């Protein structure tokens, strides 16, 4: 029985600015690097993760005849990724960093949408393409292409709450979200959102993900 004002903030940098000022009591954020940077800074706390999006992985695609077996084989090649500020591109850079491959060791190209990645490979504009879209991966492998490497998984689509809220308020919001699927009203809300459920967060995985992403 509380009025809630919902604000749509489509630009990541606008979201960052608002989060930095703690303009939002609660935020539902797709890109993990934006949400977890706020968690690391202490301005926000994890509340819930979205079921089905807790193990988001990046696949590196290539043509079937490309002799690529590890990250070192990417040196000197061209790789296409989605937008540089997308979680997919951030994860690619984390893969390279942990594999001791500098971004200067290969040529990185970017395209706005993940479903454009195969176009670059098919037409020789890039040797390797990065995507986290399962549909793109399936379409590519169904046509004879291959996945040469996969990243570790990270949680995306996170619900975070301002540290200005009391622990009791944050706990109450958490309980409501993770129990939505247990009531008719909650299931109706989930159906409207398109998501199946929200689940509890994992503090250890969160800490490791923050470190891996280099935040």
């Amino acid at each position: 029985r509380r009025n809630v004002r919902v604000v749509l903030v489509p630009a990541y940098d606008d979201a960052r600015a608002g989060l930095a000022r703690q303009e939002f009591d609660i935020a539902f954020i797709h890109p993990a690097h934006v949400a977890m940077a706020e968690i690391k800074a202490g301005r926000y706390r994890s509340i819930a993760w979205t079921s089905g999006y807790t193990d988001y992985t990046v696949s590196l695609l290539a043509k079937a005849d490309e002799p690529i077996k590890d990250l070192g084989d990417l040196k000197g090649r061209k790789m296409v990724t989605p937008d540089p500020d997308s979680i997919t591109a951030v994860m690619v850079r984390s893969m390279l960093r942990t594999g001791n491959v500098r971004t200067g060791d290969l040529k990185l190209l970017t395209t706005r949408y993940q479903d454009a990645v195969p176009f670059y490979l098919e037409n020789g504009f890039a040797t390797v393409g990065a995507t986290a879209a399962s549909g793109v991966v399936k379409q590519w492998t169904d046509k004879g292409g291959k996945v040469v490497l996969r990243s570790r998984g990270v949680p995306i689509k996170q619900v975070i709450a301002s540290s200005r809220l009391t622990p009791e308020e944050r706990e109450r919001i958490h309980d409501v979200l993770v129990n939505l699927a247990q009531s008719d009203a909650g299931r109706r809300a989930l159906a409207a959102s398109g998501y199946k459920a929200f689940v509890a967060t994992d503090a250890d995985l969160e800490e490791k993900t923050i470190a891996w992403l280099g935040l």
Side-chain angles (χ1 to χ4, degrees):
R1 292 174 173 81
R2 178 181 297 187
N3 290 330
V4 176
R5 185 165 66 94
V6 179
V7 181
L8 177 65
V9 186
Y12 290 179
D13 283 342
D14 291 342
R16 287 185 176 103
L19 291 166
R21 295 189 293 267
Q22 289 182 288
E23 292 179 356
F24 320 116
D25 294 314
I26 308 166
F28 178 56
I29 302 177
H30 168 86
H33 60 297
V34 174
M36 290 195 174
E38 291 302 310
I39 292 167
K40 182 180 180 181
R43 290 184 287 265
Y44 283 80
R45 302 283 190 272
S46 289
I47 295 296
W49 292 346
T50 306
S51 177
Y53 295 91
T54 59
D55 192 31
Y56 187 82
T57 59
V58 173
S59 295
L60 301 187
L61 311 181
K63 291 183 177 178
D65 58 355
E66 285 294 338
I68 299 172
K69 296 181 180 179
D70 56 41
L71 288 168
D73 292 334
L74 300 177
K75 293 180 179 180
R77 300 175 184 272
K78 291 182 179 179
M79 177 192 292
V80 60
T81 76
D83 185 281
D85 197 23
S86 66
I87 181 57
T88 302
V90 171
M91 290 172 68
V92 168
R93 294 194 292 273
S94 295
M95 291 174 70
L96 295 175
R97 184 176 61 254
T98 54
N100 295 315
V101 179
R102 298 173 301 173
T103 55
D105 291 337
L106 67 164
K107 183 172 178 57
L108 286 173
L109 309 172
T110 58
T111 183
R112 185 172 182 183
Y113 299 112
Q114 299 206 37
D115 54 8
V117 166
F119 173 85
Y120 282 74
L121 304 180
E122 291 166 347
N123 292 280
F125 299 127
T127 306
V128 182
T131 181
S134 57
V136 173
V137 174
K138 184 178 186 307
Q139 185 180 45
W140 179 253
T141 54
D142 285 350
K143 291 166 60 176
K146 64 181 180 180
V147 175
V148 293
L149 293 167
R150 282 193 172 89
S151 74
R152 63 184 293 170
V154 305
I156 62 168
K157 298 187 184 296
Q158 298 164 70
V159 181
I160 59 177
S162 172
S163 58
R164 291 178 177 174
L165 299 183
T166 66
E168 292 76 19
E169 286 175 315
R170 293 197 298 269
E171 185 65 24
R172 185 176 180 184
I173 295 165
H174 165 270
D175 289 347
V176 168
L177 288 170
V178 300
N179 289 306
L180 278 176
Q182 308 306 313
S183 69
D184 290 339
R187 286 189 287 272
R188 286 195 297 271
L190 287 168
S193 74
Y195 301 116
K196 294 181 179 179
F198 291 98
V199 298
T201 63
D202 182 328
D204 182 57
L205 177 58
E206 182 177 86
E207 183 178 350
K208 290 177 180 177
T209 301
I210 288 172
W212 184 68
L213 293 175
L215 301 176

